[in-house]
Amino acid sequence: MAHFFYWVKHLPIGDTYQDLKTLLANKSVFVWTTNQDRQFNKIYPASQIAHPQGDDGYFQCSTGQHDRVIPADEIIEQMAANMQGTRLPQADWPRCRICGAPLSPWFRSPQFIEGTFWSQELKKYSDFLNAHQNQKVLFLELGVGQMTPNIIKYPFWEMVNAWPHAELVSIALKNTNVPAPIKTKSLIFNADIKAVLDDLVQAQGGR
């Protein structure tokens, strides 16, 4: 696991994320994502991203008993320095400074901490929505499936339906249908996200 965290931290930004940044240049952007691979964090500041399901870039106490979420960058580098091959000795696994229990990644699990930090993530998102609900807003639903539709898919549909100047673009290989009331405000791509964004960038002369 330590090797995985190090690999994700140093993974180059994927072309799809680069294309998205190019297409949204000079736009007011907020990312509401269940992805935990840190790729969005490499193209946008933390103030423009919220992770309702957690984020590999943070650790928490594995007991879930302490309202303390810790940035992972230094921890990951130290873990990498202590690795023997691709394994980290148990004695070198980081531990909670409060109770001494092992730290665990801050993402969805039975011990996931929905505390102060989590609430701050949600507030960033709600503040952005409140500031833009009467403006032109484009909701980009990228690769959203049916595992947790109540986090992104259904709220996006509701806001597109309720907000007079909101529209939706949905790109996914499947599950791209939208309710009848928002069909005229939606553009659906039943296709690979990478291919669609790459075509759009090339059409704009971005490459």
Side-chain angles (χ1 to χ4, degrees):
M1 186 176 286
H3 181 72
F4 171 76
F5 289 142
Y6 184 81
W7 176 79
V8 169
K9 180 176 182 291
H10 293 278
L11 186 69
I13 303 172
D15 290 343
T16 300
Y17 291 87
Q18 295 279 24
D19 286 347
L20 186 64
K21 184 179 181 180
T22 298
L23 292 167
L24 299 179
N26 303 316
K27 304 294 183 183
S28 181
V29 174
F30 194 91
V31 178
W32 176 246
T33 180
T34 57
N35 286 2
Q36 298 165 351
D37 59 6
R38 304 290 291 165
Q39 287 283 290
F40 280 119
N41 299 74
K42 296 174 183 177
I43 61 172
Y44 292 116
S47 60
Q48 292 177 236
I49 310 171
H51 299 86
Q53 296 276 67
D55 177 2
D56 279 355
Y58 296 90
F59 279 88
Q60 64 164 75
C61 179
S62 58
T63 68
Q65 298 300 308
H66 310 298
D67 187 12
R68 182 168 177 260
V69 176
I70 309 159
D73 282 349
E74 291 187 10
I75 295 173
I76 290 171
E77 293 298 326
Q78 186 60 52
M79 290 166 69
N82 292 334
M83 280 193 296
Q84 298 177 6
T86 59
R87 300 181 65 84
L88 182 71
Q90 186 174 359
D92 292 324
W93 189 266
R95 293 187 171 272
C96 175
R97 294 181 181 177
I98 298 174
C99 68
L103 295 180
S104 62
W106 183 67
F107 53 59
R108 182 62 61 184
S109 71
Q111 292 77 39
F112 182 61
I113 297 176
E114 294 183 354
T116 301
F117 186 77
W118 182 78
S119 297
Q120 291 170 351
E121 291 287 284
L122 270 59
K123 186 176 185 303
K124 286 190 294 184
Y125 179 53
S126 62
D127 286 349
F128 182 88
L129 294 176
N130 291 335
H132 292 82
Q133 62 180 328
N134 294 317
Q135 303 173 12
K136 287 186 177 181
V137 176
L138 178 63
F139 288 91
L140 291 176
E141 183 188 297
L142 303 176
V144 179
Q146 293 293 338
M147 183 176 294
T148 52
N150 59 307
I151 296 177
I152 296 176
K153 185 182 291 289
Y154 294 166
F156 276 19
W157 289 356
E158 291 173 0
M159 286 183 283
V160 170
N161 185 50
W163 296 6
H165 307 298
E167 297 183 346
L168 172 74
V169 170
S170 177
I171 310 174
L173 291 174
K174 56 183 180 179
N175 298 320
T176 52
N177 292 329
V178 297
I182 65 169
K183 281 188 179 294
T184 60
K185 301 176 72 177
S186 304
L187 182 61
I188 306 301
F189 293 88
N190 190 14
D192 179 78
I193 298 171
K194 183 181 188 304
V196 173
L197 297 188
D198 184 68
D199 287 347
L200 290 172
V201 169
Q202 293 193 51
Q204 289 189 358
R207 284 193 187 145

